[in-house]
Amino acid sequence: MSGNESRIQAIYQITNREPMPKKAPKRLEEMWATDVFTLSKMQECLPKTVFKSIKKTIQTGEPLDITVADAIALAMKDWAISKGALYYAHVFYPLTNATAEKHDGFISVQSDGSAISEFAGKLLVQGEPDGSSFPNGGIRSTFEARGYTAWDVTSPAYIMETDNGSTLCIPTVFVSWTGEALDKKTPLLRSNAAMNKAATRVLKILGEKDIAPVNSSCGAEQEYFLVDANFANARPDLLLAGRTLFGKPSAKGQQFDDHYFGAIPERVQVFMQDVEERLYRLGIPAKTRHNEVAPGQFEIAPYHEAANVATDHQQMIMTMLRFTAKKHGFVCLLHEKPFAGINGSGKHVNWSVGNATQGNLLDPGDTPHSNAQFLVFCGAIIRGVHTYGPLLRSVVATASNDHRLGANEAPPAIISMYLGSQLEDVFEQIRQGELKSSTGKGLMNIGVDTLPVLPTDPGDRNRTSPFAFTGNRFEFRAVGSGQSVAGPLVAMNTILADSLTWIADKLEAELAKGVGLPAAISTVLKEVMELHGAVIFNGNGYSEEWHKLAVERGLANLRTTADALPVLKESYIEELFSKLGVLSPVELASRFETYAEQYILSIEVEAKLVVSMVKTMIYPAVTRYLADLANTALSLKEIGVDYDKEPIDKITALSKSMMAGVSKLSEALTKHDFASIEDHMQFISQTMRSLMDGIRADVDALEGEVADDLWPLPTYQEMLFIK
Ligand SMILES: NC(=O)CC[C@H](N)C(=O)O
């Protein structure tokens, strides 16, 4: 195929594709959690004492009584076989953001050569997948390659069905043989335990007697793009890097806001329903779906769940989106910025903490200032976000998210906190030591008599803030669409644990002076505001003024991953994680190493793609067109027509500049002698990225000059608008 033939073929295929057969929607109750080994299924098939024991472990987090493991394994195996599974997999979450699984058969070969299906308790509880090739940041060397998986009882087992059969999936942690966490789940469980301990201590000081375990919760809004597979397959950059490295903006983009919340294209809706059906069967509470801001962009958001379960479910949502998209002839792009010039994709993480006895601890109640508990927890978060803002920036630092943060569509890289006017007012009064009134849950008259008067939400929305209070939870908006939510949740739980401990110490010191609880709370919260109030910002986070003001307030602006990741090496961060038992210094160092390496590798892949795509696709198209123009010019000259060769000059100049850029980039790719990994990241971030941007500018300008029938890559217009 030459020129734009692959594009024409793709358009032909899309236009003539058979629509996916529509399925009659099933009732939710019929589908709900049918593929999950739920508590109620365990109750049905386990002996009473065994069920009681496992239920206690799930609900209180107490260690599993290992003597019941055989009975549970047997019941789980029988259930899985009844669902068509012959294999089971310990599923775990390495530091790559992906989900890993190693399948083992339910098989035991007997001495007489026959085989029976078997699944012993010890196989359920522990596995040894090896997995020595996963990034581990120096924790494991290959000669000590043992890595163990251990069953996370708090996240239910489930059946993953593909066209080729079903597998029983068991969520697990993944640790080295020396016990170090090699995954994202272990620190999440530890951070939750640390937060529970600190929260329980504070609740006791506040006078609570009956305190159930405090758990964090998460509801993550997943944005994504869908591109027809015929186009995606013709773009090496989409296939290997998940984003377009070139592409002239289409004349129509998102300027009319006509895609946002518009009618969902029929083909996309059929896809969404297919995803949702699978999610419901897996007990994942998908709740919202809609068109997002950019053409071709969509969102799915589930209800909030316990953070650990929500994190596993989030991984399953990403898997289902990719997998189901393929069946529907789409490619689902989870990259944070697949297309330049239009919105990218985030994964806004709604986070809260609460328990069965005190409820949601971030719910202000009827009048916020009457709710001391809420104010104390909110105060702890203000201190946490201010003290550890750079950490929150570093846990969303990836090569791909750098394109999105600060691009006036997603929060800036400066970590500040939005409280809404009512709460800001309350905390301002606290700072001044005179908390008297709160504007209360006011009523909002919307000026249409036939509609009821609506109560205002004390937390209005602010899309420009990275960390926004939204009425009864915080929304961490800086998280990227392709990321695991585990890292951000670990950071939030850990900084809250640290701040609650700080507050508990202060409150106890005040109470020891003989002052009453309300006075002690006021004093401590006043101190929080004096020391940390600078992090609160309710204005426009995109504005120039905020960038200046943030500097005056001493808030960090870590623009790139190369700037943000080294935060993980700072001693105050090391101390935070080790004193709360979330990550040892070795584990933390391994995360820095791994993420730094991933940053370097992903930009190097892109740089290699830029070089090869320019040399083998763009440059040939440009020279063919130049040859056409030159021949035309010569022919016209022969017959005496005065030919304006300005287009030839322009294209030649752009092509020269493009190829000069490619030479420099190829040269940059050979450089490996860096004093440190930090230096290497800075080189990638500054030199390599700007060379790539320069080449892109030339290529995109050429796309506007070269004849369309010679252009080899599907265009933005085609990919975003043809479905
Ligand atoms: N409407 C929205 O919330 C847009 C969010 C934006 N896509 C982001 O990257 O965060």
Side-chain angles (χ1 to χ4, degrees):
M1 265 185 265
S2 66
N4 72 344
E5 230 173 281
S6 64
R7 290 164 49 203
I8 289 174
Q9 283 240 0
I11 295 170
Y12 178 84
Q13 297 289 347
I14 298 164
T15 318
N16 294 293
R17 77 189 303 280
E18 286 289 320
M20 285 290 283
K22 280 186 208 156
K23 288 192 263 177
K26 291 197 187 109
R27 285 180 61 229
L28 174 69
E29 290 77 1
E30 243 175 79
M31 299 183 271
W32 182 249
T34 47
D35 292 349
V36 187
F37 197 53
T38 55
L39 258 184
S40 58
K41 286 194 190 97
M42 290 191 207
Q43 189 164 21
E44 273 166 32
C45 58
L46 288 174
K48 254 201 179 114
T49 47
V50 175
F51 175 68
K52 255 179 98 176
S53 163
I54 179 91
K55 188 175 164 198
K56 196 161 167 217
T57 301
I58 293 171
Q59 290 179 343
T60 64
E62 277 178 25
L64 175 75
D65 171 5
I66 209 72
T67 61
V68 302
D70 274 334
I72 300 168
L74 184 65
M76 210 185 259
K77 181 203 73 181
D78 287 346
W79 172 76
I81 290 176
S82 78
K83 306 279 300 175
L86 287 178
Y87 276 72
Y88 71 94
H90 273 198
V91 171
F92 57 100
Y93 308 95
L95 300 183
T96 52
N97 283 329
T99 307
E101 49 189 73
K102 182 183 167 214
H103 296 203
D104 280 290
F106 292 124
I107 179 171
S108 170
V109 179
Q110 308 297 291
S111 51
D112 64 359
S114 61
I116 55 166
S117 66
E118 192 178 79
F119 188 42
K122 65 175 194 299
L123 297 177
L124 163 64
V125 173
Q126 198 183 78
E128 198 198 325
D130 177 8
S132 52
S133 297
F134 283 115
N136 60 70
I139 288 186
R140 309 164 76 189
S141 32
T142 32
F143 59 84
E144 45 187 36
R146 266 166 211 251
Y148 292 101
T149 50
W151 181 27
D152 169 19
V153 184
T154 58
S155 186
Y158 57 92
I159 298 285
M160 186 56 87
E161 191 192 295
T162 68
D163 288 344
N164 293 324
S166 299
T167 309
L168 169 67
C169 292
I170 300 158
T172 61
V173 295
F174 181 45
V175 291
S176 75
W177 72 286
T178 42
E180 272 120 358
L182 295 168
D183 68 342
K184 291 185 176 261
K185 188 190 260 290
T186 310
L188 177 57
L189 296 173
R190 291 180 190 158
S191 72
N192 204 60
M195 187 279 298
N196 171 33
K197 195 168 154 209
T200 306
R201 186 176 157 209
V202 166
L203 288 172
K204 273 192 191 142
I205 298 173
L206 296 181
E208 298 291 344
K209 300 268 177 298
D210 182 18
I211 307 167
V214 181
N215 205 348
S216 50
S217 67
C218 160
E221 304 163 20
Q222 174 75 61
E223 296 180 331
Y224 60 93
F225 278 83
L226 288 176
V227 174
D228 191 277
N230 288 291
F231 290 137
N233 291 338
R235 297 228 26 157
D237 46 2
L238 278 187
L239 277 187
L240 299 192
R243 78 172 176 110
T244 53
L245 295 165
F246 312 115
K248 183 173 77 68
S250 124
K252 182 177 178 229
Q254 63 190 40
Q255 63 270 55
F256 297 108
D257 293 323
D258 51 353
H259 183 69
Y260 192 37
F261 286 176
I264 299 171
E266 193 179 329
R267 183 177 166 201
V268 175
Q269 187 155 331
V270 176
F271 155 80
M272 286 176 168
Q273 279 162 354
D274 206 359
V275 172
E276 287 147 5
E277 181 181 324
R278 298 187 58 104
L279 296 181
Y280 288 150
R281 281 168 46 196
L282 289 163
I284 300 173
K287 170 72 179 148
T288 307
R289 62 174 181 221
H290 61 84
N291 285 4
E292 250 305 329
V293 174
Q297 191 188 28
F298 307 93
E299 176 172 315
I300 178 168
Y303 260 130
H304 66 274
E305 301 178 276
N308 177 34
V309 175
T311 303
D312 291 358
H313 281 175
Q314 227 299 307
Q315 294 295 113
M316 282 146 80
I317 291 175
M318 290 198 284
T319 305
M320 278 307 161
L321 286 172
R322 286 199 179 105
F323 173 83
T324 314
K326 220 168 170 187
K327 287 209 321 206
H328 288 249
F330 285 124
V331 168
C332 176
L333 302 173
L334 295 174
H335 191 287
E336 283 77 6
K337 193 78 175 178
F339 300 97
I342 54 170
N343 267 25
S345 299
K347 179 144 60 200
H348 306 166
V349 172
N350 292 279
W351 166 78
S352 189
V353 293
N355 66 4
T357 41
Q358 277 71 41
N360 179 357
L361 295 163
L362 295 183
D363 196 330
D366 286 340
T367 54
H369 80 263
S370 70
N371 193 334
Q373 189 176 280
F374 165 72
L375 290 181
V376 167
F377 276 80
C378 199
I381 296 171
I382 293 172
R383 177 189 175 273
V385 175
H386 187 234
T387 312
Y388 300 110
L391 172 66
L392 289 172
R393 170 66 184 94
S394 73
V395 295
V396 296
T398 60
S400 46
N401 212 14
D402 278 359
H403 293 277
R404 169 181 164 259
L405 296 180
N408 277 11
E409 59 179 282
I414 306 162
I415 302 291
S416 66
M417 191 167 165
Y418 169 83
L419 288 182
S421 52
Q422 184 192 355
L423 251 194
E424 192 191 16
D425 174 49
V426 169
F427 273 100
E428 212 29 66
Q429 289 183 49
I430 290 175
R431 192 206 301 255
Q432 280 154 28
E434 47 180 34
L435 178 56
K436 290 194 194 84
S437 64
S438 133
T439 39
K441 270 196 178 165
L443 295 179
M444 185 173 74
N445 190 337
I446 54 175
V448 181
D449 293 342
T450 51
L451 292 175
V453 180
L454 299 174
T456 55
D457 188 331
D460 191 10
R461 305 269 157 160
N462 183 333
R463 293 204 308 118
T464 69
S465 174
F467 206 86
F469 183 67
T470 58
N472 57 9
R473 60 187 184 276
F474 279 91
E475 184 183 2
F476 189 12
R477 294 180 63 91
V479 183
S481 52
Q483 264 193 276
S484 156
V485 294
L489 287 166
V490 168
M492 289 189 281
N493 286 340
T494 308
I495 65 178
L496 178 56
D498 178 68
S499 283
L500 286 171
T501 308
W502 183 89
I503 284 188
D505 290 344
K506 293 269 172 190
L507 282 176
E508 279 172 359
E510 283 303 309
L511 292 170
K513 291 181 197 162
V515 300
L517 186 61
I521 294 173
S522 292
T523 308
V524 176
L525 289 181
K526 186 171 185 310
E527 192 178 341
V528 167
M529 282 304 289
E530 278 160 357
L531 295 174
H532 305 292
V535 76
I536 300 168
F537 178 66
N538 275 356
N540 178 4
Y542 296 166
S543 67
E544 267 301 307
E545 298 85 75
W546 169 234
H547 282 68
K548 284 192 200 120
L549 187 62
V551 176
E552 284 166 29
R553 290 194 190 181
L555 301 180
N557 185 3
L558 303 169
R559 286 175 208 276
T560 68
T561 297
D563 299 332
L565 278 183
V567 170
L568 298 180
K569 291 184 98 175
E570 303 255 354
S571 56
Y572 76 109
I573 299 295
E574 189 184 298
E575 198 193 320
L576 168 79
F577 283 117
S578 66
K579 78 179 172 207
L580 289 162
V582 176
L583 287 170
S584 69
V586 171
E587 289 170 332
L588 182 63
S590 78
R591 267 114 192 118
F592 168 75
E593 290 291 322
T594 303
Y595 300 147
E597 189 178 62
Q598 278 171 1
Y599 173 73
I600 292 167
L601 291 176
S602 41
I603 296 185
E604 279 182 357
V605 165
E606 291 185 348
K608 286 178 192 163
L609 274 167
V610 166
V611 171
S612 72
M613 287 172 72
V614 167
K615 283 189 172 171
T616 64
M617 299 176 93
I618 310 296
Y619 183 71
V622 172
T623 47
R624 268 179 214 142
Y625 187 50
L626 273 177
D628 271 5
L629 289 180
N631 283 336
T632 310
L634 282 176
S635 309
L636 288 173
K637 206 173 162 195
E638 265 170 32
I639 57 167
V641 177
D642 187 17
Y643 178 77
D644 175 8
K645 68 181 205 14
E646 200 246 287
I648 296 182
D649 293 339
K650 186 169 180 189
I651 292 169
T652 309
L654 283 169
S655 172
K656 266 192 180 159
S657 160
M658 171 180 82
M659 293 313 281
V662 164
S663 297
K664 284 191 200 142
L665 187 58
S666 306
E667 173 79 34
L669 273 164
T670 62
K671 188 167 161 56
H672 290 296
D673 51 338
F674 298 97
S676 65
I677 196 157
E678 285 90 333
D679 282 0
H680 196 172
M681 281 200 290
Q682 285 299 345
F683 176 77
I684 293 272
S685 143
Q686 288 168 23
T687 309
M688 214 176 261
R689 275 280 316 269
S690 68
L691 284 171
M692 287 164 65
D693 288 347
I695 298 168
R696 176 177 190 143
D698 291 334
V699 173
D700 292 358
L702 283 164
E703 191 183 330
E705 301 292 330
V706 170
D708 183 70
D709 64 354
L710 293 173
W711 197 253
L713 295 170
T715 64
Y716 270 32
Q717 178 180 311
E718 289 160 352
M719 289 184 286
L720 295 170
F721 290 97
I722 302 181
K723 292 259 173 304

